[in-house]
Amino acid sequence: MSQDPYDLLGVDRDADTDTIKKAYRKLARQYHPDVNPDPASQERFKEVSRAYEVLSDPQKRAAYDRGGDPFAGAAGFGQGAGFSFTDIMDAFFGGGAAAQSGRGPRSRVRRGQDALIRIDVELAEAAFGVTRELKVDTAVVCGTCAGSGASPGTQPVTCETCHGVGEVAHVQRSFLGEVRTLRPCAACRGFGTIIPDPCRECSGDGRVRSRRTLTVKIPAGVDTGTRVQLADQGEVGPGGGPAGDLYVEINVLPHDTFSRRGDDLHCTVTVPMTAAALGTTLSLPTLEADVVSGQDSGVETSFELEVKPGTQSGAEHVLRGRGVPGLRGGRGDLVAHIVVETPTRLDPRQEELLQELAAIRGEEQPTGQVKASQKSVFGRLRDAFNQH
């Protein structure tokens, strides 16, 4: 079989680099030992790899074209082949594998991390929105070096170990020959450059920590756990890179009168037994009372609750549209739960009047009404099955 690298790869002598690489990828996928484990394929794979090593290197290719031996001192062509492990990955996964391997120096400039802070707000502030000023402690661009990491008047220099590539080759011998892998340069940590005189303010990081004041607008309708995003207000990245985002997480404090369930507000109204029996009208505050000043603003800060005669404990009065505004529009309801309060201590006159009332109503010796408790849905389904 021909030992000419052009013949082995099936390319013309004037083929460009891309054509040679495509031909090698095709043959490497065909003859790789993982695909064809037979000895003939392994030998063919070595020859193809050796050919690619010659033609992919401009100096070795030029030496071969002049009739010289590009591997002077090595075994004959096709023996002891050396090749890049990254090129093998390229052959199977395309050019993207090289990009994923991190080939080449990596940038010192990277995006910063997102930041999170939590704040407490009152129920009315969460319902109707509020603007707050926050003090945050995050990384910002170093003002001394403007993010470069180098002392003023100096600049990074090319790494002498990797010559600016950011990677160094490590060679290992295997049954395929010499396998070359690329690893980040330990001297420059893969950056390709070294900062000989780091900025004293940021120690070469390009950023420092600083406390600053931000204004955040909390929209109406937020609840505990809601996060408000402030784009580009998080941590500045290494090398003065772009900042991440800042998230403000809301915690709604308990309210003295109202509790929140979704967009609805609930409150408990306790009325005396006589008021529940005779009926009455009560004035109750709305949540707006917490945010409206004493001046006339045209906003209702209270509503009239009519307790009808004969109202029982557990009755509910719903005031439509007086709950919490929704984040996506609309507004919940305000639900008042009635609790009828029975007196626990009576003076002689009160006891006498109640006994007279009981006599008038024929309730001196009440027997009471005993009924089965209301069955749950599962109980009703069970009874329905038992009847069949």
Side-chain angles (χ1 to χ4, degrees):
M1 183 174 294
S2 173
Q3 297 297 303
D4 180 49
Y6 293 101
D7 291 341
L8 286 170
L9 295 183
V11 297
D12 297 331
R13 290 187 172 273
D14 58 353
D16 57 20
T17 302
D18 289 339
T19 301
I20 293 173
K21 181 176 289 188
K22 289 179 182 178
Y24 168 67
R25 290 175 179 171
K26 180 179 179 181
L27 294 171
R29 285 194 295 265
Q30 180 179 354
Y31 294 110
H32 194 277
D34 290 343
V35 179
N36 288 304
D38 61 282
S41 295
Q42 292 183 19
E43 187 64 29
R44 180 66 169 168
F45 179 74
K46 292 180 182 180
E47 294 173 350
V48 168
S49 300
R50 186 73 163 179
Y52 179 68
E53 185 177 4
V54 172
L55 298 185
S56 63
D57 187 315
Q59 294 181 351
K60 293 180 180 180
R61 182 178 180 181
Y64 179 80
D65 290 341
R66 291 193 300 267
D69 183 3
F71 296 101
F77 187 73
Q79 303 294 325
F83 56 91
S84 169
F85 181 74
T86 307
D87 291 332
I88 297 297
M89 298 300 294
D90 284 351
F92 281 88
F93 302 107
Q100 294 174 5
S101 70
R103 180 182 296 179
R106 61 190 182 102
S107 174
R108 292 183 181 273
V109 180
R110 300 194 302 277
R111 182 182 185 273
Q113 294 182 340
D114 296 337
L116 172 69
I117 61 173
R118 296 177 175 88
I119 64 171
D120 294 333
V121 298
E122 301 292 342
L123 178 58
E125 294 175 329
F128 305 118
V130 68
T131 299
R132 285 282 190 87
E133 284 193 349
L134 306 177
K135 293 187 181 297
V136 296
D137 186 1
T138 61
V140 299
V141 177
C142 176
T144 302
C145 67
S148 69
S151 293
T154 67
Q155 59 184 1
V157 297
T158 302
C159 176
E160 296 181 356
T161 301
C162 65
H163 305 289
V165 178
E167 296 175 324
V168 292
H170 292 259
V171 180
Q172 291 180 319
R173 298 193 61 83
S174 71
F175 73 95
L176 298 176
E178 292 182 347
V179 179
R180 187 176 73 242
T181 58
L182 297 177
R183 300 177 184 175
C185 175
C188 65
R189 296 183 297 169
F191 294 121
T193 58
I194 294 176
I195 300 177
D197 187 12
C199 172
R200 295 183 179 181
E201 184 70 21
C202 64
S203 301
D205 193 40
R207 55 182 181 169
V208 293
R209 301 205 69 81
S210 175
R211 175 161 292 188
R212 53 201 172 99
T213 301
L214 296 176
T215 300
V216 55
K217 184 177 181 180
I218 299 173
V222 297
D223 201 354
T224 295
T226 301
R227 290 186 176 182
V228 179
Q229 180 182 10
L230 300 180
D232 305 325
Q233 295 296 333
E235 302 277 353
V236 165
D245 297 334
L246 174 66
Y247 290 90
V248 180
E249 186 172 278
I250 306 300
N251 177 56
V252 181
L253 298 173
H255 193 271
D256 292 337
T257 303
F258 301 105
S259 62
R260 178 176 177 177
R261 303 175 193 171
D263 290 340
D264 293 334
L265 292 176
H266 294 257
C267 66
T268 299
V269 180
T270 302
V271 297
M273 176 185 66
T274 52
L278 300 174
T280 187
T281 300
L282 304 174
S283 178
L284 297 181
T286 62
L287 192 58
E288 283 86 347
D290 290 1
V291 294
V292 175
S293 64
Q295 300 177 354
D296 183 12
S297 61
V299 177
E300 287 187 79
T301 58
S302 63
F303 68 97
E304 298 297 319
L305 174 64
E306 182 182 359
V307 180
K308 296 181 180 181
T311 296
Q312 304 295 309
S313 257
E316 295 181 354
H317 291 262
V318 180
L319 189 63
R320 301 294 181 188
R322 299 310 296 267
V324 176
L327 282 171
R328 296 176 178 82
R331 188 169 178 179
D333 301 328
L334 194 158
V335 183
H337 301 266
I338 305 298
V339 174
V340 177
E341 185 177 38
T342 302
T344 57
R345 299 180 65 181
L346 299 172
D347 60 31
R349 178 56 179 162
Q350 292 171 346
E351 185 174 353
E352 179 182 354
L353 291 174
L354 281 179
Q355 288 175 350
E356 291 180 10
L357 177 61
I360 294 172
R361 293 179 54 83
E363 298 174 349
E364 295 170 290
Q365 298 293 330
T367 59
Q369 297 181 359
V370 180
K371 295 182 180 179
S373 59
Q374 186 177 2
K375 294 182 178 179
S376 65
V377 174
F378 295 105
R380 292 196 295 271
L381 287 174
R382 181 187 59 199
D383 292 344
F385 281 113
N386 291 337
Q387 292 174 3
H388 294 284

